[in-house]
């Protein structure tokens, strides 16, 4: 089969499923912009309603393609948000606090999972998503973890939980911080260091003041910039220590190509 024929076959097989994913994405963004709901949560709810299309039929192949290849491309594009100029705004001690906070959150997730009797996959998935950038981090981490029968359930649970909690934080945190008489710098660091989604950090920060919004956004982007090294570290650890229960018999990749794309775009930016 020639290259052109192969490409045409791939496009034909995936077109309908990719179109479904595109409709869900556009619809979720529309609902988010007009009703103030998180786009990720809206996309997840719409996806649940259309789940039957992924089970069998002409859309299956394209939906699988969207959930794997296109998803990884989207994670790589997060690198565009990172720039040296933004990171230079932060003082070294603030950067250190943010980095320590990310690792402390992931470590705490293992302790919490052990107390609740949950597995290490769920621990690292939830801990990483809370520590870095919410649903985007959850999907990136899920891509490098060895799969088992609970993988999809864990990912769905993590995305829903982190999105809902981030929305609640966006609403509650600003008035609480103001009532404690924190200054703009302190509030911005707190909001950027604790709220999961970038858009919700922006919403919470700028609801207080321009300065607070800018500081919160920069702190949040500092967390986003840690996506690549954290996912790479997780991939290496999973490859070295994961049990031999990987469904496809293959170890997770050492350096996923979407993380290479993330680093390349961040460097270019």
């Amino acid at each position: 089969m020639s290259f052109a024929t192969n490409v045409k076959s791939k496009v034909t097989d995936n077109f309908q499923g990719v179109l479904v994913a595109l409709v869900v994405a556009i619809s979720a963004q529309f609902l988010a912009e007009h009703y103030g709901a998180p786009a990720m949560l809206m996309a997840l709810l719409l996806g649940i309603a259309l789940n039957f299309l992924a089970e069998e039929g002409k859309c299956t192949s394209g939906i699988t393609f969207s959930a794997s290849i296109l998803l990884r491309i989207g994670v790589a594009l997060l690198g565009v948000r990172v720039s040296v100029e933004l990171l230079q705004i932060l003082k070294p001690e603030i950067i250190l606090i943010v980095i320590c906070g990310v690792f402390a959150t992931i470590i705490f997730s293992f302790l919490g999972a052990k107390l609740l009797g949950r597995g290490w996959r769920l621990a690292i998935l939830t801990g990483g998503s809370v520590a870095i950038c919410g649903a985007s981090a959850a999907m990136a981490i899920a891509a490098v973890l060895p799969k088992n029968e609970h993988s999809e359930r864990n990912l769905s649970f993590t995305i829903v939980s982190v999105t809902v909690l981030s929305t609640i934080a966006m609403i509650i945190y600003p008035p609480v911080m103001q009532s404690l008489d924190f200054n703009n710098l302190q509030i911005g660091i707190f909001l950027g260091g604790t709220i999961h989604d970038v858009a919700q950090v922006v919403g919470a920060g700028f609801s207080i003041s321009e300065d607070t919004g800018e500081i919160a956004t920069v702190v949040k982007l500092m967390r986003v910039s840690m996506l690549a090294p954290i996912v790479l570290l997780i991939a290496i650890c999973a490859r070295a220590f994961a049990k031999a229960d990987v469904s496809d018999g293959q170890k997770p990749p050492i350096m996923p190509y979407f993380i290479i794309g993330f680093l390349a775009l961040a460097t270019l930016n």
Side-chain angles (χ1 to χ4, degrees):
M1 182 181 293
S2 67
F3 176 76
T5 304
N6 186 42
V7 171
K8 183 178 179 180
S9 175
K10 289 287 186 182
V11 171
T12 302
D13 292 342
N14 294 329
F15 176 76
Q16 291 174 309
V18 171
L19 190 61
V20 170
L22 181 62
V23 169
V24 169
I26 294 174
S27 301
Q29 188 62 37
F30 176 86
L31 293 171
E33 291 176 355
H34 288 76
Y35 298 101
M40 184 61 70
L41 181 59
M42 292 296 99
L44 189 65
L45 294 176
L46 290 171
I48 291 173
L50 298 175
N51 180 61
F52 66 93
L53 294 175
E55 296 177 353
E56 59 180 347
K58 297 181 178 180
C59 296
T60 304
S61 176
I63 291 174
T64 302
F65 175 80
S66 301
S68 55
I69 305 300
L70 294 186
L71 172 61
R72 287 159 173 75
I73 292 173
V75 173
L77 290 174
L78 284 173
V80 177
R81 291 182 172 183
V82 180
S83 70
V84 174
E85 181 181 6
L86 283 173
L87 299 182
Q88 285 177 337
I89 298 175
L90 298 179
K91 296 179 180 180
E93 57 267 28
I94 296 176
I95 294 177
L96 181 61
I97 290 173
V98 173
I99 293 174
C100 291
V102 168
F103 282 101
T105 301
I106 295 174
I107 292 171
F108 181 79
S109 70
F110 280 96
L111 298 177
K114 187 174 183 179
L115 289 174
L116 296 173
R118 299 297 176 181
W120 65 270
R121 289 178 178 84
L122 181 61
I124 203 164
L125 193 62
T126 54
S129 64
V130 170
I132 305 171
C133 54
S136 300
M139 292 184 287
I141 292 170
V144 301
L145 288 177
K147 308 298 182 191
N148 65 4
E149 67 274 15
H150 302 306
S151 295
E152 290 189 11
R153 181 201 66 184
N154 290 345
L155 180 58
S156 298
F157 168 79
T158 301
I159 291 175
V160 171
S161 300
V162 79
T163 303
V164 171
L165 291 173
S166 187
T167 303
I168 294 173
M170 178 184 66
I171 298 170
I172 294 177
Y173 283 0
V176 170
M177 292 295 99
Q178 289 177 305
S179 67
L180 296 174
D181 292 327
F182 287 174
N183 59 40
N184 288 339
L185 177 62
Q186 294 169 328
I187 296 176
I189 294 171
F190 179 84
L191 296 179
T194 56
I195 299 178
H196 316 314
D197 187 79
V198 176
Q200 291 161 341
V201 169
V202 172
F206 282 97
S207 68
I208 297 176
S209 70
E210 286 283 332
D211 290 341
T212 302
E214 291 176 0
I215 294 168
T217 302
V218 172
V219 172
K220 177 59 189 174
L221 289 176
M222 175 65 195
R223 290 166 64 196
V224 172
S225 70
M226 294 186 67
L227 177 64
I230 291 295
V231 172
L232 176 59
L233 181 62
I234 290 171
I236 293 173
C237 292
R239 185 180 176 86
F241 301 111
K243 296 179 181 179
D245 60 352
V246 183
S247 59
D248 58 5
Q250 297 178 353
K251 292 183 178 181
I254 293 179
M255 187 63 162
Y257 68 84
F258 63 91
I259 294 301
I260 297 175
F262 178 99
L263 293 171
L265 289 171
T267 303
L268 181 63
N269 195 40

